[in-house]
Short mmCIF file of all heavy atoms in Angstrom, two decimals:
data_model
loop_
_atom_site.label_atom_id
_atom_site.label_comp_id
_atom_site.label_asym_id
_atom_site.label_seq_id
_atom_site.Cartn_x
_atom_site.Cartn_y
_atom_site.Cartn_z
N ALA A 19 0.62 16.96 4.92
CA ALA A 19 1.68 17.95 5.20
C ALA A 19 1.05 19.32 5.45
O ALA A 19 0.13 19.71 4.77
CB ALA A 19 2.67 18.00 4.04
N GLY A 20 1.57 20.02 6.45
CA GLY A 20 1.10 21.36 6.77
C GLY A 20 2.15 22.38 6.37
O GLY A 20 3.23 22.42 6.92
N ASN A 21 1.79 23.17 5.33
CA ASN A 21 2.69 24.20 4.83
C ASN A 21 2.33 25.53 5.51
O ASN A 21 1.29 26.10 5.21
CB ASN A 21 2.51 24.30 3.31
CG ASN A 21 3.23 25.50 2.69
OD1 ASN A 21 4.13 26.07 3.31
ND2 ASN A 21 2.82 25.86 1.49
N TRP A 22 3.20 25.98 6.39
CA TRP A 22 2.89 27.21 7.15
C TRP A 22 3.13 28.46 6.31
O TRP A 22 2.80 29.57 6.75
CB TRP A 22 3.78 27.30 8.42
CG TRP A 22 3.47 26.23 9.41
CD1 TRP A 22 2.58 25.20 9.34
CD2 TRP A 22 4.11 26.10 10.71
NE1 TRP A 22 2.62 24.43 10.49
CE2 TRP A 22 3.55 24.97 11.35
CE3 TRP A 22 5.09 26.82 11.39
CZ2 TRP A 22 3.94 24.55 12.60
CZ3 TRP A 22 5.50 26.39 12.62
CH2 TRP A 22 4.91 25.28 13.26
N LYS A 23 3.76 28.33 5.15
CA LYS A 23 4.14 29.48 4.32
C LYS A 23 4.90 30.51 5.16
O LYS A 23 5.63 30.09 6.08
CB LYS A 23 2.87 30.12 3.69
CG LYS A 23 2.00 29.08 3.03
CD LYS A 23 0.98 29.69 2.13
CE LYS A 23 0.03 28.59 1.62
NZ LYS A 23 -0.81 29.00 0.54
N ILE A 107 9.30 21.10 -0.25
CA ILE A 107 8.32 21.43 -1.28
C ILE A 107 9.11 22.04 -2.48
O ILE A 107 9.97 22.94 -2.26
CB ILE A 107 7.30 22.46 -0.78
CG1 ILE A 107 6.47 21.86 0.37
CG2 ILE A 107 6.38 22.88 -1.91
CD1 ILE A 107 5.46 22.85 1.00
N HIS A 110 5.95 25.02 -5.49
CA HIS A 110 4.64 25.49 -5.03
C HIS A 110 4.16 26.60 -5.97
O HIS A 110 4.98 27.39 -6.49
CB HIS A 110 4.75 26.05 -3.59
CG HIS A 110 3.42 26.30 -2.97
ND1 HIS A 110 2.70 27.45 -3.25
CD2 HIS A 110 2.66 25.56 -2.13
CE1 HIS A 110 1.55 27.41 -2.59
NE2 HIS A 110 1.51 26.29 -1.90
N SER A 111 2.87 26.70 -6.18
CA SER A 111 2.38 27.71 -7.18
C SER A 111 2.77 29.12 -6.81
O SER A 111 2.91 29.98 -7.68
CB SER A 111 0.88 27.55 -7.35
OG SER A 111 0.24 27.94 -6.17
N GLU A 112 2.95 29.39 -5.49
CA GLU A 112 3.37 30.75 -5.13
C GLU A 112 4.82 30.99 -5.56
O GLU A 112 5.17 32.12 -5.92
CB GLU A 112 3.21 30.93 -3.59
CG GLU A 112 1.72 31.05 -3.24
CD GLU A 112 1.36 30.51 -1.88
OE1 GLU A 112 2.24 30.31 -1.04
OE2 GLU A 112 0.15 30.29 -1.66
N CYS A 141 5.04 20.14 -6.60
CA CYS A 141 3.68 20.67 -6.78
C CYS A 141 3.39 20.94 -8.27
O CYS A 141 4.25 21.44 -8.99
CB CYS A 141 3.51 21.99 -6.04
SG CYS A 141 3.72 21.82 -4.28
N ALA A 180 2.22 16.65 -5.44
CA ALA A 180 1.04 17.35 -4.85
C ALA A 180 0.28 18.05 -5.99
O ALA A 180 0.89 18.89 -6.66
CB ALA A 180 1.48 18.37 -3.78
N TYR A 181 -0.93 17.65 -6.22
CA TYR A 181 -1.79 18.35 -7.18
C TYR A 181 -2.49 19.49 -6.47
O TYR A 181 -3.29 19.23 -5.54
CB TYR A 181 -2.81 17.41 -7.84
CG TYR A 181 -3.87 18.18 -8.61
CD1 TYR A 181 -3.52 19.06 -9.60
CD2 TYR A 181 -5.25 18.04 -8.31
CE1 TYR A 181 -4.45 19.81 -10.32
CE2 TYR A 181 -6.21 18.76 -8.99
CZ TYR A 181 -5.81 19.65 -9.99
OH TYR A 181 -6.77 20.39 -10.67
N GLU A 182 -2.19 20.71 -6.84
CA GLU A 182 -2.77 21.88 -6.18
C GLU A 182 -3.32 22.85 -7.23
O GLU A 182 -2.56 23.68 -7.74
CB GLU A 182 -1.71 22.61 -5.36
CG GLU A 182 -1.12 21.74 -4.26
CD GLU A 182 -0.63 22.63 -3.11
OE1 GLU A 182 0.21 23.49 -3.32
OE2 GLU A 182 -1.12 22.45 -1.98
N PRO A 183 -4.57 22.73 -7.58
CA PRO A 183 -5.13 23.71 -8.54
C PRO A 183 -5.01 25.10 -7.96
O PRO A 183 -5.40 25.36 -6.82
CB PRO A 183 -6.63 23.28 -8.67
CG PRO A 183 -6.90 22.33 -7.53
CD PRO A 183 -5.58 21.80 -7.04
N VAL A 184 -4.42 26.00 -8.74
CA VAL A 184 -4.12 27.32 -8.24
C VAL A 184 -5.38 28.06 -7.78
O VAL A 184 -5.36 28.76 -6.78
CB VAL A 184 -3.36 28.15 -9.31
CG1 VAL A 184 -3.04 29.56 -8.83
CG2 VAL A 184 -2.08 27.44 -9.74
N TRP A 185 -6.45 27.79 -8.45
CA TRP A 185 -7.73 28.45 -8.16
C TRP A 185 -8.34 27.99 -6.83
O TRP A 185 -9.26 28.58 -6.33
CB TRP A 185 -8.74 28.26 -9.30
CG TRP A 185 -8.85 26.86 -9.78
CD1 TRP A 185 -8.12 26.26 -10.76
CD2 TRP A 185 -9.75 25.84 -9.32
NE1 TRP A 185 -8.48 24.93 -10.92
CE2 TRP A 185 -9.52 24.63 -10.04
CE3 TRP A 185 -10.76 25.83 -8.35
CZ2 TRP A 185 -10.20 23.48 -9.84
CZ3 TRP A 185 -11.47 24.63 -8.12
CH2 TRP A 185 -11.16 23.48 -8.88
N ALA A 186 -7.79 26.91 -6.26
CA ALA A 186 -8.32 26.41 -4.98
C ALA A 186 -7.39 26.76 -3.79
O ALA A 186 -7.77 26.48 -2.67
CB ALA A 186 -8.47 24.91 -5.09
N ILE A 187 -6.23 27.36 -4.06
CA ILE A 187 -5.31 27.62 -2.98
C ILE A 187 -5.66 28.92 -2.25
O ILE A 187 -5.66 29.99 -2.87
CB ILE A 187 -3.85 27.65 -3.47
CG1 ILE A 187 -3.47 26.30 -4.07
CG2 ILE A 187 -2.90 28.08 -2.36
CD1 ILE A 187 -2.06 26.22 -4.58
N GLY A 188 -5.97 28.77 -0.99
CA GLY A 188 -6.26 29.94 -0.15
C GLY A 188 -7.52 30.71 -0.51
O GLY A 188 -7.74 31.80 -0.07
N THR A 189 -8.34 30.07 -1.36
CA THR A 189 -9.52 30.76 -1.83
C THR A 189 -10.81 30.29 -1.13
O THR A 189 -11.87 30.86 -1.28
CB THR A 189 -9.73 30.51 -3.36
OG1 THR A 189 -9.82 29.08 -3.53
CG2 THR A 189 -8.56 31.07 -4.17
N GLY A 190 -10.69 29.14 -0.43
CA GLY A 190 -11.90 28.54 0.15
C GLY A 190 -12.64 27.68 -0.87
O GLY A 190 -13.59 26.99 -0.53
N LYS A 191 -12.20 27.72 -2.13
CA LYS A 191 -12.85 26.87 -3.16
C LYS A 191 -12.04 25.58 -3.29
O LYS A 191 -10.90 25.62 -3.69
CB LYS A 191 -12.68 27.57 -4.52
CG LYS A 191 -13.79 28.42 -4.97
CD LYS A 191 -13.58 28.71 -6.45
CE LYS A 191 -14.11 30.05 -6.81
NZ LYS A 191 -13.69 30.47 -8.17
N THR A 192 -12.66 24.47 -2.97
CA THR A 192 -11.91 23.20 -3.12
C THR A 192 -12.34 22.60 -4.43
O THR A 192 -13.47 22.73 -4.88
CB THR A 192 -12.36 22.18 -2.03
OG1 THR A 192 -12.53 22.90 -0.83
CG2 THR A 192 -11.33 21.10 -1.85
N TYR A 225 -3.41 15.87 -2.55
CA TYR A 225 -4.24 16.98 -3.06
C TYR A 225 -4.01 18.21 -2.17
O TYR A 225 -3.87 18.08 -0.93
CB TYR A 225 -5.75 16.62 -3.05
CG TYR A 225 -6.58 17.85 -3.32
CD1 TYR A 225 -6.69 18.33 -4.62
CD2 TYR A 225 -7.15 18.58 -2.29
CE1 TYR A 225 -7.37 19.51 -4.87
CE2 TYR A 225 -7.86 19.75 -2.55
CZ TYR A 225 -7.96 20.20 -3.84
OH TYR A 225 -8.61 21.37 -4.09
N GLY A 226 -3.98 19.39 -2.76
CA GLY A 226 -3.90 20.61 -1.97
C GLY A 226 -4.78 21.71 -2.55
O GLY A 226 -4.89 21.81 -3.79
N GLY A 227 -5.41 22.49 -1.67
CA GLY A 227 -6.27 23.55 -2.14
C GLY A 227 -7.51 23.64 -1.27
O GLY A 227 -8.48 22.90 -1.49
N SER A 228 -7.37 24.50 -0.23
CA SER A 228 -8.51 24.70 0.71
C SER A 228 -9.03 23.39 1.35
O SER A 228 -10.22 23.20 1.47
CB SER A 228 -9.63 25.47 0.04
OG SER A 228 -9.20 26.75 -0.35
N VAL A 229 -8.09 22.49 1.68
CA VAL A 229 -8.51 21.29 2.44
C VAL A 229 -8.86 21.75 3.86
O VAL A 229 -8.11 22.48 4.49
CB VAL A 229 -7.42 20.22 2.44
CG1 VAL A 229 -7.83 19.02 3.31
CG2 VAL A 229 -7.09 19.75 1.03
N LYS A 230 -9.98 21.26 4.32
CA LYS A 230 -10.49 21.64 5.66
C LYS A 230 -11.01 20.39 6.34
O LYS A 230 -11.25 19.38 5.67
CB LYS A 230 -11.64 22.63 5.52
CG LYS A 230 -11.34 23.90 4.72
CD LYS A 230 -10.68 24.97 5.60
CE LYS A 230 -10.41 26.26 4.85
NZ LYS A 230 -9.11 26.39 4.21
N ALA A 246 -2.87 15.08 1.81
CA ALA A 246 -3.10 16.47 1.49
C ALA A 246 -1.87 17.34 1.83
O ALA A 246 -1.12 17.03 2.74
CB ALA A 246 -4.30 16.99 2.29
N LEU A 247 -1.74 18.39 1.04
CA LEU A 247 -0.83 19.47 1.37
C LEU A 247 -1.75 20.62 1.83
O LEU A 247 -2.55 21.11 1.01
CB LEU A 247 0.01 19.86 0.13
CG LEU A 247 1.08 20.96 0.34
CD1 LEU A 247 2.00 20.66 1.50
CD2 LEU A 247 1.93 21.09 -0.91
N VAL A 248 -1.61 20.99 3.06
CA VAL A 248 -2.59 21.90 3.67
C VAL A 248 -1.94 23.22 3.97
O VAL A 248 -0.84 23.28 4.57
CB VAL A 248 -3.11 21.28 5.02
CG1 VAL A 248 -4.18 22.16 5.63
CG2 VAL A 248 -3.60 19.85 4.83
N GLY A 249 -2.54 24.33 3.61
CA GLY A 249 -2.03 25.66 3.89
C GLY A 249 -2.72 26.26 5.10
O GLY A 249 -2.39 26.01 6.27
N GLY A 250 -3.76 27.07 4.84
CA GLY A 250 -4.44 27.82 5.91
C GLY A 250 -4.83 26.98 7.12
O GLY A 250 -4.61 27.39 8.27
N ALA A 251 -5.40 25.81 6.87
CA ALA A 251 -5.92 25.00 7.99
C ALA A 251 -4.80 24.35 8.78
O ALA A 251 -5.04 23.76 9.83
CB ALA A 251 -6.90 23.97 7.48
N ALA A 252 -3.56 24.49 8.31
CA ALA A 252 -2.42 23.91 9.06
C ALA A 252 -1.88 24.90 10.11
O ALA A 252 -0.99 24.55 10.87
CB ALA A 252 -1.30 23.52 8.08
N LEU A 253 -2.43 26.08 10.12
CA LEU A 253 -1.95 27.15 11.03
C LEU A 253 -2.64 27.06 12.39
O LEU A 253 -2.38 27.86 13.27
CB LEU A 253 -2.16 28.53 10.43
CG LEU A 253 -1.33 28.78 9.17
CD1 LEU A 253 -1.69 30.10 8.55
CD2 LEU A 253 0.17 28.70 9.47
N ILE A 261 -7.91 17.27 10.19
CA ILE A 261 -7.66 16.82 8.81
C ILE A 261 -6.88 15.50 8.84
O ILE A 261 -7.17 14.54 8.13
CB ILE A 261 -6.93 17.90 8.00
CG1 ILE A 261 -7.86 19.06 7.72
CG2 ILE A 261 -6.37 17.35 6.69
CD1 ILE A 261 -7.21 20.31 7.13
C1 PEP B 6 -1.01 25.41 -0.05
O1 PEP B 6 -0.48 26.45 0.16
O2 PEP B 6 -0.28 24.47 -0.45
C2 PEP B 6 -2.42 25.28 0.14
C3 PEP B 6 -3.01 24.23 -0.33
O3 PEP B 6 -3.07 26.29 0.81
P1 PEP B 6 -4.60 26.28 1.34
O4 PEP B 6 -4.83 24.98 2.06
O5 PEP B 6 -4.69 27.48 2.24
O6 PEP B 6 -5.47 26.43 0.13
#
Side-chain angles (χ1 to χ4, degrees):
N21 171 19
W22 294 3
K23 311 194 186 193
I107 298 176
H110 190 280
S111 65
E112 288 149 16
C141 298
Y181 167 56
E182 298 207 302
V184 179
W185 48 271
I187 296 181
T189 57
K191 266 194 211 169
T192 322
Y225 170 77
S228 297
V229 176
K230 304 277 183 266
L247 182 52
V248 184
L253 295 174
I261 289 170

